[in-house]
Amino acid sequence: MLNLKNIFYRALPFFGVLLALLVQTVFADSTLHPPATKHYYNFLLYAALLLTLVLFVLSFFIASLREPLVEKGAFFFGAGALVSVLNLITAKFALLPVIFFPTYDNILAVFVEQTPLLLKCIGFSFRLLILGVLWGTIAGFVTGIFLGFSKKVYYWINPYIKLIGPIPATAWIPLVLTTFPTPLGASIFIIALSVWFPVQLMTSSGIQNTSKVYFEVGRTLGAGTFFQVFRIAVPAALPNIFQGVFNGICAAFIALMTAEMFGAKYGIGWYISYQKAMMLYSGVYAGLIMIAVFCTVIITALFKVRQRVLGWQKGLIKW
């Protein structure tokens, strides 16, 4: 017997896209907006409409599609309604300042017409982020091990870290730009600094909170310092270390965007700053969308690694 409520929820994504398409086609854009050269938003909606229809039909034959569509159906319909309301407020009735709130067509046109530049900016930002996060994680990991495992190091170094660590990394930009010979090196240092503090904090805390019984058993069985650190302390602190890396990456994105606005030649932050200076806010919104996608992909990939390494904690922290 067919479950009509179940079928209705599975069809909601299709109706959400259909609503957005009806709003886009029934209402004309305000004449206050610059006319779009091509209707990219319409193409996107037609593609989404076809995709949601195909998924709805396939859900009758593929059981694995039914539960996700039922669970997320209302959300996707709500997303379609939200997009439609924003479209009416901005493009159709121009209730908000036109220069700051462009149409969807003009925003999507940036992705299509400036693809080479956007890809170059993404590549530049990705290189900065990877290098900064890598060096910051290594420095934070090493510092955290010394602070967590050695009481002497903790006694002498921790007061300075408490003083310097909470300072936002972006506050060091004026000093760093005059110290480093190139903007690239300065940007990497700022990103690494923003990652270093949360990683070392969570690493040292995880090691310090490891049960002393594990170390006593290890010493009884003849374990040396190296074994106690990397076979007892670090594995026990891995949940904390991953949490520190997550926090560090979030801080790294803030530092990345800010650092690229000072002296960088390319990058997503530079692109947003440049588009804002030129009063081209369609490019600003395109840059913000790139940041959202970029950050989501990186953190999702990191969560996949965490689930693989810490399989026993699967589902404890969700993304």
Side-chain angles (χ1 to χ4, degrees):
M1 184 176 178
L2 292 176
N3 188 332
L4 295 180
K5 182 179 179 181
N6 188 291
I7 295 175
F8 173 73
Y9 276 100
R10 280 148 52 190
L12 281 178
F14 173 80
F15 290 125
V17 178
L18 183 62
L19 174 63
L21 183 60
L22 288 175
V23 169
Q24 175 65 8
T25 54
V26 171
F27 297 93
D29 288 349
S30 171
T31 55
L32 298 176
H33 284 282
T37 55
K38 293 184 180 180
H39 298 292
Y40 296 109
Y41 183 51
N42 293 55
F43 298 152
L44 180 63
L45 288 177
Y46 282 124
L49 194 68
L50 178 60
L51 176 62
T52 53
L53 179 60
V54 170
L55 290 176
F56 174 70
V57 173
L58 290 177
S59 67
F60 286 95
F61 306 97
I62 304 176
S64 60
L65 286 177
R66 293 171 195 165
E67 185 176 348
L69 286 177
V70 171
E71 182 183 354
K72 298 293 185 180
F75 170 79
F76 284 116
F77 181 81
L82 177 62
V83 168
S84 301
V85 170
L86 293 176
N87 197 15
L88 289 171
I89 293 174
T90 56
K92 305 305 178 182
F93 300 137
L95 300 179
L96 297 174
V98 171
I99 190 171
F100 300 119
F101 296 93
T103 64
Y104 291 151
D105 281 326
N106 289 329
I107 295 174
L108 292 173
V110 174
F111 291 102
V112 178
E113 298 170 4
Q114 300 184 26
T115 301
L117 177 59
L118 293 178
L119 290 177
K120 193 170 186 177
C121 289
I122 291 174
F124 190 89
S125 294
F126 184 75
R127 181 181 65 162
L128 278 181
L129 184 69
I130 292 299
L131 290 175
V133 169
L134 178 63
W135 285 112
T137 301
I138 293 174
F141 180 71
V142 173
T143 308
I145 288 177
F146 278 106
L147 289 172
F149 200 78
S150 174
K151 292 183 179 180
K152 291 183 179 180
V153 174
Y154 185 86
Y155 176 82
W156 288 104
I157 303 299
N158 192 57
Y160 297 103
I161 292 180
K162 285 183 177 180
L163 181 65
I164 299 174
I167 300 176
T170 53
W172 297 95
I173 287 180
L175 178 62
V176 171
L177 286 176
T178 58
T179 304
F180 281 77
T182 63
L184 177 64
S187 299
I188 293 174
F189 178 80
I190 289 296
I191 297 169
L193 185 62
S194 66
V195 176
W196 162 76
F197 181 66
V199 172
Q200 73 81 22
L201 177 63
M202 297 308 298
T203 301
S204 61
S205 298
I207 293 176
Q208 290 172 348
N209 291 330
T210 302
S211 176
K212 304 302 179 185
V213 175
Y214 297 151
F215 297 109
E216 292 174 1
V217 172
R219 283 192 294 268
T220 301
L221 296 176
T225 303
F226 184 87
F227 187 95
Q228 292 184 51
V229 171
F230 292 99
R231 299 300 296 273
I232 298 177
V234 171
L238 274 178
N240 295 68
I241 295 173
F242 271 104
Q243 186 176 349
V245 174
F246 291 143
N247 295 336
I249 287 180
C250 293
F253 274 101
I254 299 175
L256 172 68
M257 295 302 113
T258 307
E260 286 183 342
M261 293 178 183
F262 295 92
K265 295 182 179 180
Y266 293 102
I268 302 176
W270 167 86
Y271 181 82
I272 292 176
S273 180
Y274 173 75
Q275 295 292 311
K276 180 182 177 183
M278 299 297 292
M279 299 297 287
L280 299 173
Y281 277 84
S282 56
V284 172
Y285 285 106
L288 293 175
I289 292 172
M290 286 193 297
I291 292 174
V293 174
F294 193 37
C295 184
T296 301
V297 170
I298 294 294
I299 295 182
T300 301
L302 190 57
F303 259 90
K304 294 294 183 182
V305 174
R306 184 189 187 279
Q307 290 179 359
R308 182 62 64 91
V309 176
L310 302 177
W312 53 277
Q313 279 201 332
K314 187 175 182 180
L316 187 62
I317 301 177
K318 296 183 179 179
W319 169 250

